[in-house]
Amino acid sequence: MLKKLFQGVIVTIGVFLLLYQLVFFTREATMVIAWLNSGSIGLQVRATTPPENPTDTLWAISDVDTTAFPFDIYPVVGDILLAAIPEEGDTLSPNQFSTTIHPQHKSYTLILERNGTTIPVSATARTREFIDVGSTVAVEVLRVLIAISYLLVGMWAFYKRPDSGGVRALALFSFGMSAFMITGVQAMGGLYAAYDIPFDQYLRIPLTMLTVCFGGFWLNLQFYFPRPFRIIRKHPLLGHLVIYSPQIAAAVYSTVGWLQDKPMPGLLFTATIATQMVLGFTILVIRRIRTETPLERRQITLVLYGSGFGLGILFLLILFNLAFPALSDMVPGPVMLFLINFIFLALLLSPLSFAYAFGRYRLMEVEGQLRRGTRNALISSVLLVILVLIVYGVSETLLHTLSVESRTATMFVTLVLALGFIPAHRFSRTQIERRLYPERNRLKELVNDFLRSTASMPDRATLWLRLEDQLRTAMGINSVIPILRHETGDDMTLAHGEQVPFSVNDSVCQFIERTKRPLLVDEMLAAGKVDVNPETRLWLRKNDIALLLPMTVQSKLTGLLGICFEGGREDMAAEDLNMLASLVTQVGLQSENLRLLEENFDKKRLEEQLHMARKVQERFLPRELPDTPGLEVFAQCQFSLEVAGDYYDVIDLPGNRTLMAVGDVSGKGAGAAMIMANMQAALRTLTGLDIDLSDVVARVNDMIWRNTDPEQYITFFVAIFNPENSTLTYVNAGHNPPMIIHADRSVTLLETGGPILGAIPEMPYQASQEIMQAGDLMVTYTDGVTEAMNELDVEFGEERLLELILGNRTSDLSGLVQLIHQRVSAFTNSKGQFADDFTLLLARKK
């Protein structure tokens, strides 16, 4: 009965918060609109009490933006505001002036007292600056997102498992944080509101109670997460009395203080909550050290990374404001807004981390993203602070030391520093990772060495043995179990042919093929997202398989790679998981290549070998192009022999970006095709390692140079299109320069890059960028198009190709490719069978 009553209370709180937030944030939206439409005077006024007359109130200037005042006379910090006279002549008191909305462009005469002298100053309400508008609106938007995210996570968790004590604790903590974002955060004054909420002073009582208790809710949650403490299981009433004893004591203290007209000090109240938060994090850390299972360790680690950073700096800021109000007032408004936005961004991760932790799926992957995001945020924040301090120091030096009042010099310095921000950020991140994680760099080197050696492996048995040996050395992995799809059916077998309880059509394989992500076995079994049959479950446990990695070729699942940890190791780092996910793409492609070679060794005729190789190579080329946001893309490759040395690829990258590549291997036939296949595999692997495009091309060049004969080389072009800013970043390695046809019929050739691949080792390549406008058409081709000859040994040539495209620039891309194919065929009288491979890739900006 008591449990049902408690569940009803939680539901009531959630519904109340949901309804109140709808009304409250609608009111906040009206405040933001009114604030945006109002003007800014360029100063802040704070009420003070003079020591010699405690009953009097003085309104002192606490902050001044001198650029807001058009004349040489302007307020300074410490001036006393006596009155403000608007242009229509009605005198406003300091209190009225500070609580009045100032329309844009409205003028005032401020009467100030400075050192006993009365000074009139002219002031005009100007349009708010972009940085103030952006920071303030960001605070409001993040505040809404955080409050709603916490509320929805709490309601979702309670809906899923209402009988769980841990879930109930999570719901209460989420409701408490949601309430805190309403009662504890205020971005602007209530004078901007279009309406007042009826009975708001009474409706805020439960919100305040939730805010007061959310430190206890946090501590309560740690007694349940990820497993309940013994005291909670055996003595729940006693355990909860201990947890909420500070709130009980605060309630008694507040009641007595209210009767005696002595309110509870805000610092003591905040310190109580902060103490409970610290205790909660301490319990998390201890449980992280002592936990016995990798799954629980991942759950706790995810919550520590997702919640610890944001909640920690939030309470440090609150304690600083309460303990040192004078210092807090000295912090400039833009700096404080930036700090609040940074804290809110960190806080936004907290409800998401709890949602994943309780869902028990993708924990390591999300943890790795949180770690990288936290490191990048810290580096960005430090660099931004340094940038602001340098700009501030330069402006002060120019203004006060050199008496330079023009802002041109300051703007120039700011522009130079801003241009260096991204290189400085990249350099700082690289140096920090090298110093903090030297073993990760060694791991990358070992993986790259393995990738370079795959081209020389004679068969798949050697591939698996070397892979296992390399992973045992680099990662401490005990064994690798390849589970391969049977060539003639949907069943799967081990590398030596033993049958396993896997099939392409079963739930595990379907789930992995759909998500295309590594799958930790303990998470899969605990989360219940995959229906694992008892036979498969038993086989996984019997073979100690901890991780399943998908091997795919052109989005088709060709097998699984089972990873078994060493006896003394229970888990791996998130970065190791990402490294394995990138590595397995190359392994799957090379396994497919070696499978073809093994079939060739079965004494098939050469024609049958080439026919099979053609099929595999065609599978390497995209059958269906992926989604290309911002672009229309169409490509065609026609082989001149059974297999080709031409290659194109279209790969979707994180952030809605699209990679497009075209290459041409010297020579023709099977040798060129194998080099092409290895280059494609290397490209797909390296693009998953989060390195610059120029570095990707340089590494591919080194791999080709090490693993091919001197007379073999590749011309190569690769580009990445980013739809957010319409930029095309490209590298041209000795390839026929692609063309961008603009709307005004002008042509840009994409030539920047470096020499052909495989000719010179350790060659640096240069990337360049172009902005693509709507309707711009990029045409990429191999020499089989322009160097096609007629019976007089005359080439079709770039000029004919350009003329043909200009005349049909707006045509459908597939139709344009077909038209080019027909014209080249007619020119050479070849009836569609060309002497060289024929490849075209067209991309038009939408």
Short mmCIF file of all heavy atoms in Angstrom, two decimals, residues 14-46:
data_model
loop_
_atom_site.label_atom_id
_atom_site.label_comp_id
_atom_site.label_asym_id
_atom_site.label_seq_id
_atom_site.Cartn_x
_atom_site.Cartn_y
_atom_site.Cartn_z
N GLY A 14 5.60 14.44 -11.30
CA GLY A 14 5.98 14.52 -12.71
C GLY A 14 4.95 15.27 -13.53
O GLY A 14 5.32 16.13 -14.35
N VAL A 15 3.67 14.99 -13.34
CA VAL A 15 2.62 15.68 -14.09
C VAL A 15 2.60 17.16 -13.73
O VAL A 15 2.47 18.04 -14.60
CB VAL A 15 1.25 15.02 -13.82
CG1 VAL A 15 0.13 15.83 -14.45
CG2 VAL A 15 1.24 13.59 -14.36
N PHE A 16 2.75 17.47 -12.42
CA PHE A 16 2.76 18.87 -11.99
C PHE A 16 3.92 19.62 -12.64
O PHE A 16 3.76 20.74 -13.15
CB PHE A 16 2.86 18.93 -10.47
CG PHE A 16 3.22 20.30 -9.94
CD1 PHE A 16 2.29 21.33 -9.94
CD2 PHE A 16 4.51 20.57 -9.48
CE1 PHE A 16 2.64 22.59 -9.49
CE2 PHE A 16 4.85 21.82 -9.03
CZ PHE A 16 3.91 22.84 -9.03
N LEU A 17 5.12 19.02 -12.63
CA LEU A 17 6.27 19.68 -13.24
C LEU A 17 6.07 19.89 -14.73
O LEU A 17 6.43 20.94 -15.28
CB LEU A 17 7.53 18.84 -13.01
CG LEU A 17 8.24 19.00 -11.66
CD1 LEU A 17 9.37 17.99 -11.54
CD2 LEU A 17 8.78 20.41 -11.52
N LEU A 18 5.50 18.90 -15.40
CA LEU A 18 5.28 19.02 -16.84
C LEU A 18 4.34 20.17 -17.15
O LEU A 18 4.62 21.01 -18.02
CB LEU A 18 4.72 17.70 -17.38
CG LEU A 18 4.43 17.66 -18.88
CD1 LEU A 18 5.71 17.87 -19.68
CD2 LEU A 18 3.79 16.33 -19.27
N LEU A 19 3.21 20.26 -16.43
CA LEU A 19 2.25 21.33 -16.68
C LEU A 19 2.83 22.69 -16.30
O LEU A 19 2.66 23.68 -17.04
CB LEU A 19 0.96 21.06 -15.89
CG LEU A 19 0.19 19.79 -16.29
CD1 LEU A 19 -1.01 19.58 -15.37
CD2 LEU A 19 -0.26 19.87 -17.74
N TYR A 20 3.52 22.74 -15.17
CA TYR A 20 4.07 24.03 -14.73
C TYR A 20 5.14 24.51 -15.70
O TYR A 20 5.20 25.71 -16.02
CB TYR A 20 4.66 23.91 -13.32
CG TYR A 20 5.13 25.24 -12.77
CD1 TYR A 20 4.25 26.09 -12.13
CD2 TYR A 20 6.47 25.64 -12.93
CE1 TYR A 20 4.69 27.31 -11.64
CE2 TYR A 20 6.90 26.86 -12.44
CZ TYR A 20 6.01 27.70 -11.80
OH TYR A 20 6.42 28.90 -11.31
N GLN A 21 5.97 23.60 -16.21
CA GLN A 21 7.02 24.01 -17.14
C GLN A 21 6.44 24.54 -18.45
O GLN A 21 6.98 25.47 -19.04
CB GLN A 21 7.97 22.84 -17.42
CG GLN A 21 8.93 22.55 -16.28
CD GLN A 21 9.93 21.47 -16.63
OE1 GLN A 21 10.00 21.03 -17.77
NE2 GLN A 21 10.70 21.03 -15.64
N LEU A 22 5.33 23.95 -18.89
CA LEU A 22 4.70 24.46 -20.11
C LEU A 22 4.30 25.93 -19.94
O LEU A 22 4.56 26.77 -20.82
CB LEU A 22 3.47 23.62 -20.46
CG LEU A 22 3.74 22.20 -20.96
CD1 LEU A 22 2.43 21.44 -21.15
CD2 LEU A 22 4.50 22.23 -22.28
N VAL A 23 3.69 26.24 -18.80
CA VAL A 23 3.27 27.63 -18.54
C VAL A 23 4.48 28.51 -18.28
O VAL A 23 4.59 29.63 -18.80
CB VAL A 23 2.28 27.67 -17.35
CG1 VAL A 23 1.88 29.10 -17.04
CG2 VAL A 23 1.07 26.82 -17.63
N PHE A 24 5.42 28.01 -17.46
CA PHE A 24 6.55 28.82 -17.03
C PHE A 24 7.46 29.17 -18.21
O PHE A 24 7.84 30.34 -18.39
CB PHE A 24 7.36 28.07 -15.97
CG PHE A 24 8.58 28.80 -15.51
CD1 PHE A 24 8.49 29.81 -14.57
CD2 PHE A 24 9.83 28.47 -16.02
CE1 PHE A 24 9.62 30.49 -14.15
CE2 PHE A 24 10.97 29.14 -15.60
CZ PHE A 24 10.86 30.15 -14.66
N PHE A 25 7.79 28.20 -19.04
CA PHE A 25 8.72 28.49 -20.13
C PHE A 25 8.04 29.25 -21.26
O PHE A 25 8.72 29.92 -22.04
CB PHE A 25 9.36 27.20 -20.63
CG PHE A 25 10.40 26.65 -19.70
CD1 PHE A 25 10.29 25.37 -19.18
CD2 PHE A 25 11.47 27.43 -19.30
CE1 PHE A 25 11.25 24.87 -18.31
CE2 PHE A 25 12.43 26.94 -18.44
CZ PHE A 25 12.31 25.66 -17.93
N THR A 26 6.71 29.15 -21.37
CA THR A 26 6.00 30.04 -22.30
C THR A 26 6.14 31.49 -21.84
O THR A 26 6.39 32.40 -22.64
CB THR A 26 4.52 29.65 -22.39
OG1 THR A 26 4.41 28.29 -22.81
CG2 THR A 26 3.78 30.54 -23.36
N ARG A 27 6.02 31.70 -20.54
CA ARG A 27 6.23 33.04 -19.96
C ARG A 27 7.67 33.49 -20.18
O ARG A 27 7.92 34.66 -20.51
CB ARG A 27 5.90 33.02 -18.46
CG ARG A 27 6.11 34.33 -17.73
CD ARG A 27 5.65 34.18 -16.28
NE ARG A 27 5.86 35.39 -15.53
CZ ARG A 27 6.96 35.65 -14.82
NH1 ARG A 27 7.94 34.75 -14.78
NH2 ARG A 27 7.08 36.78 -14.15
N GLU A 28 8.63 32.57 -20.01
CA GLU A 28 10.02 32.92 -20.25
C GLU A 28 10.25 33.33 -21.70
O GLU A 28 11.04 34.23 -21.98
CB GLU A 28 10.92 31.73 -19.90
CG GLU A 28 11.02 31.41 -18.43
CD GLU A 28 11.85 32.42 -17.68
OE1 GLU A 28 13.06 32.55 -17.99
OE2 GLU A 28 11.30 33.09 -16.79
N ALA A 29 9.54 32.69 -22.63
CA ALA A 29 9.68 33.04 -24.05
C ALA A 29 9.22 34.47 -24.30
O ALA A 29 9.85 35.22 -25.05
CB ALA A 29 8.90 32.06 -24.91
N THR A 30 8.11 34.87 -23.66
CA THR A 30 7.66 36.26 -23.80
C THR A 30 8.68 37.23 -23.22
O THR A 30 8.87 38.33 -23.74
CB THR A 30 6.30 36.46 -23.12
OG1 THR A 30 6.43 36.28 -21.68
CG2 THR A 30 5.28 35.45 -23.64
N MET A 31 9.35 36.83 -22.13
CA MET A 31 10.38 37.69 -21.53
C MET A 31 11.56 37.86 -22.48
O MET A 31 12.10 38.96 -22.63
CB MET A 31 10.83 37.10 -20.20
CG MET A 31 9.76 37.11 -19.12
SD MET A 31 10.21 36.13 -17.66
CE MET A 31 11.70 36.96 -17.13
N VAL A 32 11.96 36.77 -23.12
CA VAL A 32 13.09 36.86 -24.04
C VAL A 32 12.75 37.77 -25.22
O VAL A 32 13.57 38.60 -25.63
CB VAL A 32 13.48 35.45 -24.53
CG1 VAL A 32 14.52 35.54 -25.65
CG2 VAL A 32 14.02 34.62 -23.39
N ILE A 33 11.54 37.62 -25.76
CA ILE A 33 11.13 38.46 -26.89
C ILE A 33 11.12 39.93 -26.50
O ILE A 33 11.61 40.80 -27.22
CB ILE A 33 9.75 38.01 -27.40
CG1 ILE A 33 9.84 36.60 -28.01
CG2 ILE A 33 9.22 38.98 -28.44
CD1 ILE A 33 8.51 36.00 -28.37
N ALA A 34 10.54 40.23 -25.32
CA ALA A 34 10.51 41.62 -24.84
C ALA A 34 11.91 42.15 -24.61
O ALA A 34 12.23 43.32 -24.91
CB ALA A 34 9.67 41.72 -23.57
N TRP A 35 12.79 41.32 -24.06
CA TRP A 35 14.17 41.73 -23.81
C TRP A 35 14.91 42.01 -25.11
O TRP A 35 15.67 42.98 -25.21
CB TRP A 35 14.87 40.64 -23.00
CG TRP A 35 16.28 40.95 -22.65
CD1 TRP A 35 16.74 41.72 -21.62
CD2 TRP A 35 17.46 40.49 -23.34
NE1 TRP A 35 18.11 41.77 -21.61
CE2 TRP A 35 18.59 41.03 -22.67
CE3 TRP A 35 17.67 39.68 -24.45
CZ2 TRP A 35 19.88 40.78 -23.07
CZ3 TRP A 35 18.96 39.43 -24.87
CH2 TRP A 35 20.05 39.97 -24.18
N LEU A 36 14.69 41.16 -26.12
CA LEU A 36 15.34 41.38 -27.41
C LEU A 36 14.88 42.67 -28.07
O LEU A 36 15.66 43.33 -28.77
CB LEU A 36 15.06 40.19 -28.34
CG LEU A 36 15.70 38.85 -27.96
CD1 LEU A 36 15.22 37.75 -28.89
CD2 LEU A 36 17.21 38.95 -28.01
N ASN A 37 13.61 43.02 -27.87
CA ASN A 37 13.07 44.23 -28.49
C ASN A 37 13.41 45.49 -27.71
O ASN A 37 13.16 46.60 -28.19
CB ASN A 37 11.56 44.12 -28.64
CG ASN A 37 11.15 43.07 -29.66
OD1 ASN A 37 11.87 42.85 -30.64
ND2 ASN A 37 10.03 42.40 -29.43
N SER A 38 13.94 45.35 -26.49
CA SER A 38 14.29 46.51 -25.68
C SER A 38 15.73 46.93 -25.97
O SER A 38 16.46 46.23 -26.67
CB SER A 38 14.12 46.20 -24.19
OG SER A 38 15.05 45.21 -23.78
N GLY A 39 16.13 48.07 -25.41
CA GLY A 39 17.48 48.58 -25.61
C GLY A 39 18.35 48.38 -24.39
O GLY A 39 17.88 48.03 -23.30
N SER A 40 19.63 48.59 -24.57
CA SER A 40 20.61 48.45 -23.50
C SER A 40 21.27 49.80 -23.24
O SER A 40 21.75 50.45 -24.17
CB SER A 40 21.68 47.42 -23.87
OG SER A 40 22.73 47.40 -22.94
N ILE A 41 21.29 50.22 -21.95
CA ILE A 41 21.86 51.51 -21.59
C ILE A 41 23.39 51.43 -21.51
O ILE A 41 24.09 52.40 -21.70
CB ILE A 41 21.26 51.99 -20.24
CG1 ILE A 41 19.77 52.30 -20.43
CG2 ILE A 41 21.98 53.22 -19.72
CD1 ILE A 41 19.51 53.46 -21.38
N GLY A 42 23.94 50.27 -21.21
CA GLY A 42 25.39 50.13 -21.13
C GLY A 42 25.95 50.27 -19.74
O GLY A 42 27.16 50.49 -19.58
N LEU A 43 25.09 50.15 -18.71
CA LEU A 43 25.59 50.18 -17.35
C LEU A 43 24.69 49.35 -16.46
O LEU A 43 23.53 49.06 -16.80
CB LEU A 43 25.69 51.62 -16.81
CG LEU A 43 24.44 52.52 -16.83
CD1 LEU A 43 23.54 52.26 -15.64
CD2 LEU A 43 24.87 53.98 -16.84
N GLN A 44 25.23 48.95 -15.31
CA GLN A 44 24.46 48.21 -14.32
C GLN A 44 24.49 48.98 -13.01
O GLN A 44 25.53 49.56 -12.64
CB GLN A 44 25.04 46.81 -14.11
CG GLN A 44 24.91 45.91 -15.33
CD GLN A 44 25.46 44.52 -15.08
OE1 GLN A 44 25.76 44.16 -13.95
NE2 GLN A 44 25.60 43.74 -16.14
N VAL A 45 23.34 48.98 -12.32
CA VAL A 45 23.19 49.72 -11.07
C VAL A 45 22.87 48.72 -9.96
O VAL A 45 22.04 47.82 -10.15
CB VAL A 45 22.07 50.78 -11.17
CG1 VAL A 45 21.98 51.59 -9.89
CG2 VAL A 45 22.32 51.69 -12.36
N ARG A 46 23.54 48.90 -8.79
CA ARG A 46 23.30 48.00 -7.66
C ARG A 46 23.00 48.84 -6.43
O ARG A 46 23.69 49.83 -6.14
CB ARG A 46 24.53 47.12 -7.41
CG ARG A 46 24.31 46.10 -6.30
CD ARG A 46 25.52 45.18 -6.10
NE ARG A 46 26.62 45.89 -5.46
CZ ARG A 46 27.75 46.21 -6.07
NH1 ARG A 46 27.92 45.89 -7.34
NH2 ARG A 46 28.71 46.86 -5.44
#
